[in-house]
Amino acid sequence: MNPSSSPWSEEETRQRNALCKIGELCYSRNYIAAADGNLSVRLADGDILVTPTGAMKGFLQPHQIAKVDMTGASVDGGPKASSEIGIHLVCYEQRADVRAIVHAHPPHAVAMTIADIDMQLPIIPEIIVTLGGIPTAPIATPGTHELADSIRGIVSCSDTVIMKNHGSVTMGPHLMDAYKKLDMVEHTARILWLAHCAPIVVLKLGGSVLTGEDALATAVHEVYRHVRQGRRVLAVVSAMSGATDALLQRGRALDGEDAPHGLAPL
């Protein structure tokens, strides 16, 4: 849009364009899907620009952005704000320094909360230095006051939070900073996910289950034995770092012969 023909101030025009650009970036990076997530910016006069309800954030136009005050009421009679505007309002209430917020649904980060894996653990140096930790808020119903209240105490002292089974909230002095923190949260979650997927075997034989590194060779040996006897065996082997080939070699060494016909890495 040509700034000279814009119905908004220079600041508002710039921020509306930024919301569209960051929304597109979040969508292209799979941090949001369909109409998921919402983004906002606090203007110098205290009003808030926020993505509208039900909109796909990867395809927004500046005129589609909603404008509300600190109570969530529309300022200009334009598009309706996101149903999760409460998340943004509580962050702005708690943090005078925050000027932009990104709420997204980064898949690995959300998966960590479903699996009850604590992303606060001091494991990755860069995250310790830059974010200090990535706390998890208790589960709450989207679009309700309960959701906003679930993060109130956390956002007062943290720029990032993962809402359990739901999504992330990242904030900063401008939109790119809030997006950068989202990028860091999901990158950290992916590293942790890979670490938790280290090569293991889960083998069901009758009513028993074998798991863990120490059980790998025994598990593969049992696969061979049961297949030779014509039994159906369910085996799950992670395919990281050539683990499947290594396991087959260890199993053959134990068994003293090649794998039975038809048995292949899963």
Side-chain angles (χ1 to χ4, degrees):
M1 179 180 291
N2 186 343
S4 63
S5 63
S6 172
W8 312 297
S9 68
E10 185 278 332
E11 178 199 19
E12 185 170 340
T13 299
R14 177 166 43 84
Q15 296 295 7
R16 283 175 178 267
N17 287 325
L19 284 165
C20 295
K21 180 63 178 177
I22 298 299
E24 181 182 4
L25 191 57
C26 288
Y27 185 81
S28 68
R29 294 278 291 173
N30 296 317
Y31 295 158
I32 54 176
D36 291 350
N38 30 80
L39 303 81
S40 73
V41 171
R42 177 159 53 182
L43 299 173
D45 63 5
D47 287 339
I48 298 167
L49 297 177
V50 60
T51 50
T53 185
M56 295 183 70
K57 312 311 178 296
F59 306 94
L60 283 174
Q61 296 297 317
H63 69 274
Q64 296 176 301
I65 302 298
K67 187 176 183 180
V68 301
D69 60 22
M70 278 297 292
T71 70
S74 176
V75 170
D76 58 3
K80 184 180 179 181
S82 167
S83 61
E84 294 182 328
I85 182 64
I87 294 174
H88 301 258
L89 296 179
V90 76
C91 292
Y92 291 130
E93 288 169 3
Q94 296 296 312
R95 297 282 298 277
D97 59 314
V98 167
R99 310 297 297 184
I101 297 165
V102 175
H103 164 46
H105 293 183
H108 292 90
V110 174
M112 291 295 103
T113 71
I114 295 172
D116 289 325
I117 296 172
D118 187 3
M119 292 183 65
Q120 281 267 72
L121 294 175
I123 296 174
I124 301 174
E126 290 82 356
I127 299 304
I128 298 170
V129 171
T130 55
L131 299 182
I134 305 171
T136 299
I139 192 167
T141 304
T144 66
H145 293 298
E146 177 192 15
L147 184 65
D149 288 341
S150 74
I151 67 171
R152 185 182 300 274
I154 297 174
V155 299
S156 64
C157 57
S158 176
D159 289 349
T160 64
V161 59
I162 310 295
M163 297 179 289
K164 184 171 174 56
N165 295 22
H166 181 174
S168 63
V169 177
T170 55
M171 63 199 81
H174 51 79
L175 267 174
M176 185 55 75
D177 185 77
Y179 171 79
K180 178 187 72 173
K181 289 165 183 169
L182 164 62
D183 213 26
M184 295 170 70
V185 164
E186 178 62 359
H187 185 63
T188 300
R190 181 166 173 78
I191 291 172
L192 292 176
W193 174 76
L194 289 170
H196 281 270
C197 288
I200 63 169
V201 167
V202 177
L203 180 64
K204 292 186 178 180
L205 301 173
S208 63
V209 177
L210 295 173
T211 64
E213 291 283 351
D214 293 339
L216 292 180
T218 301
V220 175
H221 175 70
E222 288 296 300
V223 169
Y224 295 153
R225 185 172 67 83
H226 281 263
V227 170
R228 279 200 305 274
Q229 294 174 3
R231 299 174 182 169
R232 295 180 61 83
V233 177
L234 171 64
V236 180
V237 181
S238 76
M240 294 177 55
S241 305
T244 302
D245 290 340
L247 290 175
L248 288 174
Q249 291 173 7
R250 291 175 66 184
R252 288 169 183 156
L254 276 178
D255 205 58
E257 58 182 88
D258 287 339
H261 178 69
L263 180 64
L266 300 178

